[in-house]
Amino acid sequence: MTQVLCVAGARPNFMKIAPVMAALAETGIAAQLLHTGQHYDAAMSDGFFADLGIPHPDHHLEVGSGSHAVQTAEVMKRFEPVLDSVKPQAVLVVGDVNSTIACALVAAKRGVRVIHVEAGLRSYDRAMPEEINRVLTDQISDLLFITEKSALANLQREGIDPARVEFVGNVMIDTLYRNLERAVPSCQTLGTALPAYAVLTLHRPSNVDDPATLAALLDVIGEINAVLPVVLPLHPRTRGNIEKFGLSAKINALRILPPLGYLDMLGLMRDAKLVLTDSGGIQEETTALGVPCLTLRDNTERPITLTDGTNTLVGADPAAIRAAFDQVMTNGGRAGCIPEYWDGRAAMRIAHTLKGWLPQAAGVRSA
């Protein structure tokens, strides 16, 4: 009997599900893996599975791209018959992508308990689709695993019983520590050795969908590149908008790379002097690596990276970006420390909790 049906759908999920699947296997919990195919680039998806040692999915929905509504609806339609066939005691979802809320919602409506890994994170910015996914998934989850203690306060404000919440740490950091020695050296990824460089990742609609905002960001990045070489693994969406808006000349001097696999990106960040990003996960990874991070957003759902870690919020304001960059070049930026329970054991804490929780999960669903 399958006890837990684990769901992954997009690149951010893969780094979170890898240690969970390994820990479930190690503790003897019967689990199956379902890949929704929300991330539809087969080569990149297969590369992440190979890099991280994720078992081949038992089920693949092959959903592909679409609007948020279309993609979420398609995952729900394709997930329900699999759920009915597998009949797990619980469905485990990770993160905040469309696959997360879609599968959690189907499971809840079918009376199957829902486990949410990385619960309680809040940016309090409802313009972000991920924020909607987080809030709704937490409301229908029976067991919520959190990465930082501030998440518990968020959940309590939303009326969630603390008895359903477990502080276990960050499974993404489990993956980072497990693979750090295997990370590809930056000189190999770049094809040359750079004594110092910055890494830029840029993909959020708020930064790349408006031509004026994107142009201003690329201008200040160009200024930084004149002082510290900037390496940009270029997201397809960002590349498309740069071309559509006629901004290609603004990135000519940068070191442009294609989207990278996990081990290549890990090595690139580990060896960097600075990372500039609008990604959520990279804020956490840079904190674990001790690398200064400038987040090109006005808010973050990961506040511990600001209070304990190496992260600084700068938004899309060129003046704020310049000032923070000057601080990094002058004094090395925020030193930070490793947050509590970011020790590579989060997935095992999850598995040990489930070992005691699952035998009771076959009965009536809790209120």
Side-chain angles (χ1 to χ4, degrees):
M1 176 184 182
T2 297
Q3 294 174 280
V4 181
L5 180 58
C6 299
V7 175
R11 276 196 300 272
N13 288 171
F14 302 153
M15 287 88 84
K16 297 163 191 171
I17 208 68
V20 172
M21 293 296 296
L24 295 181
E26 187 173 334
T27 51
I29 295 173
Q32 291 189 23
L33 178 61
L34 179 140
H35 187 347
T36 67
Q38 178 180 330
H39 179 188
Y40 49 90
D41 183 328
M44 284 292 289
S45 178
D46 293 347
F48 269 80
F49 272 64
D51 282 352
L52 302 178
I54 306 172
H56 185 76
D58 299 281
H59 313 277
H60 201 310
L61 303 186
E62 299 180 343
V63 168
S65 63
S67 70
H68 285 281
V70 167
Q71 196 173 63
T72 303
E74 198 60 38
V75 171
M76 293 177 69
K77 285 168 54 182
R78 299 188 189 195
F79 179 63
E80 186 173 41
V82 176
L83 182 68
D84 291 344
S85 173
V86 174
K87 296 181 172 60
Q89 290 181 318
V91 168
L92 184 149
V93 297
V94 296
D96 54 20
V97 300
N98 289 337
S99 297
T100 303
I101 179 59
C103 293
L105 187 56
V106 171
K109 284 179 172 286
R110 300 296 284 180
V112 179
R113 292 192 172 197
V114 176
I115 304 159
H116 187 200
V117 175
E118 199 185 72
L121 298 180
R122 298 289 182 270
S123 67
Y124 292 98
D125 179 2
R126 293 294 179 94
M128 294 176 62
E130 296 90 346
E131 183 78 355
I132 305 299
N133 293 344
R134 293 179 201 117
V135 172
L136 297 181
T137 301
D138 286 340
Q139 283 295 324
I140 57 176
S141 293
D142 297 277
L143 184 57
L144 301 95
F145 291 113
I146 61 174
T147 63
E148 55 179 273
K149 288 182 177 177
S150 68
L152 175 59
N154 295 335
L155 294 170
Q156 287 182 281
R157 277 193 293 271
E158 294 166 11
I160 291 174
D161 186 351
R164 291 158 53 194
V165 182
E166 292 283 339
F167 173 42
V168 294
N170 194 326
V171 292
M172 275 193 69
I173 306 308
D174 291 16
T175 296
L176 185 148
Y177 288 152
R178 182 176 300 178
N179 291 282
L180 196 53
E181 290 185 358
R182 300 174 57 232
V184 177
S186 58
C187 59
Q188 185 174 324
T189 302
L190 295 169
T192 186
L194 289 176
Y197 62 87
V199 176
L200 169 67
T201 77
L202 199 61
H203 75 281
R204 289 203 178 271
S206 59
N207 284 330
V208 306
D209 284 1
D210 177 71
T213 300
L214 182 56
L217 280 170
L218 294 179
D219 282 338
V220 73
I221 294 300
E223 295 174 27
I224 291 171
N225 185 66
V227 178
L228 182 69
V230 175
V231 179
L232 171 59
L234 192 52
H235 191 283
R237 174 192 184 91
T238 308
R239 180 186 290 276
N241 282 350
I242 287 172
E243 294 172 354
K244 181 171 69 174
F245 301 149
L247 302 175
S248 297
K250 294 183 183 294
I251 63 170
N252 284 344
L254 309 184
R255 277 72 169 174
I256 304 299
L257 298 176
L260 298 176
Y262 180 78
L263 296 177
D264 295 280
M265 190 64 188
L266 180 57
L268 197 64
M269 290 191 297
R270 176 195 61 192
D271 298 342
K273 183 177 181 67
L274 169 69
V275 173
L276 302 101
T277 188
D278 56 10
S279 162
I282 287 177
Q283 297 172 52
E284 296 176 324
E285 290 168 327
T286 48
T287 280
L289 292 168
V291 175
C293 178
L294 305 185
T295 294
L296 307 173
R297 290 168 47 186
D298 294 323
N299 52 58
T300 179
E301 63 284 351
R302 293 161 166 87
I304 203 165
T305 64
L306 302 174
T307 58
D308 293 25
T310 61
N311 188 23
T312 302
L313 286 182
V314 293
D317 176 23
I321 296 169
R322 288 189 200 99
F325 173 69
D326 288 343
Q327 285 293 313
V328 172
M329 297 304 292
T330 301
N331 59 28
R334 289 179 55 84
C337 63
I338 304 300
E340 185 180 4
Y341 277 5
W342 288 27
D343 56 3
R345 298 285 298 168
M348 285 306 300
R349 292 187 189 98
I350 289 171
H352 287 308
T353 299
L354 293 180
K355 196 74 174 172
W357 185 81
L358 281 168
Q360 304 160 23
V364 179
R365 180 183 167 87
S366 63

